[in-house]
Each structure stands twice: as structure tokens, then as C-alpha cells.
Amino acid sequence: MSQPQKYLSTSALAKELKLQAKDLFGTLQAKGFIDRDNDNWVLTDKGKEIGGILKTHPQHGTYIAWEENIKNELTATLEENKLINATALSQHFKISKFRMNPILSELGMIQKSVKGWTVTRLGESLGGKQFEHAQTGIPSVSWNVSILTNKRLIETIQSVQGNIIESNEESVATSKDTEVKTLKSNVGFREKFEAKYRTTDGHYVRSRAEMLIDNWLYMSEIVHAYERKLPVEEDLYCDFYLPIGKVYIEYWGLENDERYTERKKVKLDIYSKYGFKLIELEDSDIQNLDDILPKKLLKFGIQAY
């Protein structure tokens, strides 16, 4: 006579798999076995197919239970898609756990929600998975272990820790040469145009137009970075980056230059690919920044005045 099938609650299953219950709930949701309905977890048709059932406890009410043999399938899945959270990331990179999510946010991989963090399109492309706490519903993001070797993340953390120092022109030239190859251009834009225009806040930029944009941002008290490297595998730099709204600004100043036009197309494709927020400025906009920029910024929730 066959033994009756043993069923485990999700919490009991998590214990046997040596997981936090919230992480298992997230994994089951990611696989489509359960879903969220307001504050409750509900069993999906897919969940029923793999052995999930609803059971009732006299004290705790109705809950989802699973056939014990689901452990084999989940163990294989967890090994294939081993995820680490922000706390584990901070421990790996030896930085405060309170700084990890803001760094990921600055890179555009996640964004702040009312409570917690949500993954962006870029974050998803880098292995980020969206989860939410089983009891509170607060969203969080966990990552495939491949994030540990992400070049942009490593560079940013090293920069935050003060471990990157551009000590000679050769290191700068190497970075620029890489961008030139990426953009399929024989003459690098940065080699051709020296950053010799000094802005009000001390930046050195490559044109009078960029100087006017930088000064406008500074006088409008909008924090910005100049020539920030994009947080993607491609070696590309934006003209300006506004961390407050994760917004990039590109000034297109050489529309009649064939190589510049090719460079522009490559950059626009990258912005579109990752869903980055982009403000584009042209020569005709520069003398009307007071009228044009506030409107463009407001579209992304940034108020200039």
C-alpha cells in the first residue's frame, strides 16, 4: 500500500531548503506558481499542476501547501539561478549595507519606490529579479551572482571607496580608445575636442554650449555629473547625468559631421535599448535654455525653479 503524499507549507518548505521564507515566496512567484492578490498569496493554475493545494488550519486559516517532491525541482532551479540580495552584495564588496542600494540606484539598475526598491529594465538585463516581502509586500531586488563581476558596478564601488585614481594620461587614453572602437570611429571625439572651457562649478567641458548647459544646471541647483560613464557593458559616456531623476542629457552639436552622426546613432540606440531617460539638446536650444530645459526636466519630475 502506497504512502499518502506528504504536503509542506511554504514556510516549512523554506526551512527544509534552508531558505528565508520571503525568498522562497519570491522564487515561487517568479516561476508562476503563486501570485499576489492584494495582501494575500494565491495559488495559480501552474502551481496546482506541480502539486500545490490549498489547506485549512483551525487557527491559521487557509494556506498553500506543496507536495514534498517539489523540493527536487526547486533545488535545481535555485542552483541554476542562485540569487543574492543587497546585503550579501554589500558584504562581498565590503561596504555599508545602507550604501548598496543607493549605488545600484545611481547606476540605474534599480529605483526607489514608496517603500523598498524596484528593478529597472537595465537591472533586469543584468540579472535583477523583483521580489516582495511575504507579509509586508515591500518590494526588493535580488541578483544573479554574475552581478559580482559587473564592470560598471565594480568601477563605481572602487570610485566611491577612493580606489580609482587616474594617475596618468595613458590610463585616460586607454579608456577613450575603447570608446572609439565601440563607436566604430577612427578619430575619437574626446581626442579631437579638448576640455578647456571652465564652468562656474569648476568642471572643464569641451564646448561653449556645454559650458552654458553646465552653468545653467549649477545655477538651478541641480546636481549633475559631466561625462559620466553609462552603466552598461558598452564603453560610452553621456554629456551630463542628473542623479536626482536618473536623467541623461546629450547635446548634439555637430550634426553635419558624418562620424559624429554615426556616433549619435550608436548612443541613441543604447539609450533606447536600456530604457534610459534622455533629454536631447541641439544648437537652437542653447540660447533658450531658460525656456526649454525646465519643460524637458519637468517631464521627468525634476523642477528647476
Side-chain angles (χ1 to χ4, degrees), residues 3-215:
Q3 293 290 327
Q5 182 62 253
K6 182 180 178 181
Y7 286 89
L8 300 171
S9 69
T10 307
S11 297
L13 183 59
K15 280 186 180 180
E16 296 211 4
L17 292 170
K18 295 182 172 58
L19 291 174
Q20 294 286 332
K22 65 176 183 178
D23 293 334
L24 180 56
F25 274 104
T27 299
L28 293 169
Q29 183 184 32
K31 291 182 70 66
F33 297 158
I34 60 174
D35 205 354
R36 195 78 170 171
D37 182 14
N38 295 321
D39 293 330
N40 300 310
W41 290 107
V42 295
L43 184 65
T44 65
D45 290 338
K46 190 175 179 181
K48 294 174 184 176
E49 290 173 7
I50 55 94
I53 63 170
L54 293 177
K55 298 192 78 173
T56 302
H57 188 279
Q59 288 182 312
H60 305 297
T62 302
Y63 65 95
I64 300 172
W66 307 94
E67 289 184 2
E68 190 176 25
N69 59 17
I70 194 179
K71 288 192 295 184
N72 298 327
E73 180 176 346
L74 290 176
T75 299
T77 299
L78 291 166
E79 285 302 315
E80 290 175 6
N81 303 301
K82 191 174 181 181
L83 299 177
I84 53 178
N85 60 22
T87 300
L89 271 178
S90 67
Q91 291 170 349
H92 174 82
F93 289 114
K94 295 181 173 57
I95 63 172
S96 167
K97 65 180 181 180
F98 300 109
R99 301 186 75 184
M100 194 67 246
N101 276 326
I103 288 173
L104 294 169
S105 176
E106 196 275 338
L107 286 167
M109 299 177 184
I110 60 175
Q111 59 189 8
K112 194 81 171 73
S113 64
V114 177
K115 289 185 177 181
W117 301 88
T118 57
V119 69
T120 63
R121 189 192 304 179
L122 172 63
E124 288 180 341
S125 75
L126 297 173
K129 302 291 184 184
Q130 188 69 61
F131 296 98
E132 61 179 41
H133 192 278
Q135 278 75 46
T136 65
I138 293 176
S140 64
V141 181
S142 289
W143 303 89
N144 186 279
V145 291
S146 60
I147 195 71
L148 298 176
T149 58
N150 182 271
K151 184 167 64 173
R152 295 291 172 260
L153 177 58
I154 293 171
E155 287 176 349
T156 299
I157 289 175
Q158 288 177 335
S159 178
V160 168
Q161 294 173 328
N163 295 331
I164 288 184
I165 300 175
E166 298 284 358
S167 59
N168 55 57
E169 293 183 1
E170 183 179 352
S171 62
V172 179
T174 301
S175 177
K176 292 174 180 176
D177 287 344
T178 304
E179 180 181 5
V180 172
K181 291 175 184 176
T182 301
L183 296 173
K184 304 174 184 178
S185 174
N186 293 325
V187 179
F189 175 77
R190 288 176 174 77
E191 287 86 343
K192 188 174 180 180
F193 297 96
E194 181 185 354
K196 61 182 180 181
Y197 294 84
R198 192 175 193 278
T199 66
T200 304
D201 61 357
H203 288 141
Y204 279 90
V205 297
R206 302 181 188 280
S207 68
R208 181 176 179 274
E210 287 186 341
M211 180 181 70
L212 292 173
I213 296 168
D214 194 291
N215 287 346

